[in-house]
Amino acid sequence: MSDFEGLTALVTGGASGIGRATADLLAERGAKVAVLDLDPSPVDKPLTGHLADVTDDVSVRAAVAAAVHELGGLDVLVNNAGIGAQGTVETNSDEEWHRVFDVNVLGMVRTARACLPHLRASAHAAIVNTCSIAATAGLPQRALYSATKGAVYSLTLAMAADHVREGIRVNCVNPGTVDTPWVGRLLDAADDPAAERAALEARQPTGRLVSPAEVAGAIAYLASPLSGATTGTALAVDGGMQGLRPRPAGR
Ligand SMILES: NC(=O)c1ccc[n+]([C@@H]2O[C@H](COP(=O)([O-])OP(=O)(O)OC[C@H]3O[C@@H](n4cnc5c(N)ncnc54)[C@H](O)[C@@H]3O)[C@@H](O)[C@H]2O)c1
């Protein structure tokens, strides 16, 4: 497919996991792609990497300006950089609450704010936010993380309404558990990594984790000019975890 031929894209958190798979897929489908990341060192051609911390407005504005200059414009923003947090409301300090909201929610706000003037000049402008099943299902030990992703879901709807008349579509993907370096780190930290992995796999009706490429495919679908009538939606990419209630195997 070459639906992104002639288009340009910026992917935050594009040096690893879902962001990297997305940057690679958009490039394969014809886009010129730049990555914005805290550590862009793993990024290689045809992608270009730009160092920025999404919690720092000055660094975001500088990286977006440099990326747009290099790309020659901007059609697609993938707001994907994010971090995790574990625990109940009793676990995390106020500092941690501020920190995770700063990355996961305000990070998207800062990046979108810097990109909007450029997106307005595009005939195929699209923003895709990486949200999570944690926005729509109650998962144990994820109070802070879930609150940030609930905010990302609402932000997606509000932004879609604000910018629809400007021709800028805004959607999000809601992945289940995806086999990325992030989840690898979580499993490594578990008492019994194999049992933890089996529990995460069993939680998804497909019986396996989602692949980064599958989330990238959903992001590309929402970002593509072929989806010009789709805005303000959340696309589940979760192996059926949100919507299905299968009976236990053999029953
Ligand atoms: N892995 C999952 O199971 C899963 C499920 C649902 C949603 N998500 C979401 O997907 C997104 C990507 O997750 P992933 O699993 O690919 O993680 P990852 O850790 O593999 O990649 C995240 C990338 O974001 C970058 N990043 C982190 N903080 C940053 C900052 N302050 N400024 C700039 N870049 C920063 C990191 O350097 C890294 O390259 C996140 O928003 C996450 O919440 C992940």
Side-chain angles (χ1 to χ4, degrees), residues 1-41:
M1 250 178 124
S2 55
D3 47 336
F4 288 92
E5 208 64 59
L7 300 185
T8 56
L10 178 67
V11 182
T12 73
S16 174
I18 292 169
R20 179 60 196 257
T22 302
D24 285 339
L25 182 61
L26 295 179
E28 265 172 42
R29 283 164 60 167
K32 263 176 92 176
V33 184
V35 158
L36 181 160
D37 204 288
L38 212 46
D39 175 13
S41 62

Side-chain angles (χ1 to χ4, degrees), residues 12-20 35-40 42 50-56 59-60 79-84 99 102-104 107-108 130-134 145 148-149 173-183 185-186 204 210 212 215:
T12 73
S16 174
I18 292 169
R20 179 60 196 257
V35 158
L36 181 160
D37 204 288
L38 212 46
D39 175 13
H50 296 267
L51 172 70
D53 179 345
V54 297
T55 67
D56 175 2
S59 89
V60 169
N79 253 329
N80 167 78
I83 56 173
R99 165 86 192 141
D102 202 13
V103 177
N104 289 6
M108 292 192 182
T130 306
C131 189
S132 170
I133 189 170
Y145 179 71
T148 67
K149 291 299 182 178
V173 287
N174 287 9
T177 306
V178 189
D179 205 350
T180 68
W182 164 334
V183 169
R185 291 191 293 274
L186 271 179
Q204 303 190 153
V210 177
V215 185

Side-chain angles (χ1 to χ4, degrees), residues 126-143:
I127 297 176
V128 184
N129 297 328
T130 306
C131 189
S132 170
I133 189 170
T136 55
L139 305 179
Q141 296 292 326
R142 292 291 183 278

Side-chain angles (χ1 to χ4, degrees), residues 66-102:
V68 170
H69 179 72
E70 168 195 287
L71 295 170
L74 189 65
D75 302 291
V76 172
L77 166 63
V78 181
N79 253 329
N80 167 78
I83 56 173
Q86 295 184 63
T88 71
V89 284
E90 293 181 303
T91 310
N92 308 102
S93 66
D94 282 10
E95 288 71 27
E96 285 172 280
W97 275 84
H98 286 296
R99 165 86 192 141
V100 182
F101 264 88
D102 202 13

Side-chain angles (χ1 to χ4, degrees), residues 57 79 104-114 116 155 159:
D57 195 49
N79 253 329
N104 289 6
V105 185
L106 277 79
M108 292 192 182
V109 172
R110 291 185 188 98
T111 312
R113 207 159 54 192
L116 275 166
L155 180 67
M159 286 175 60

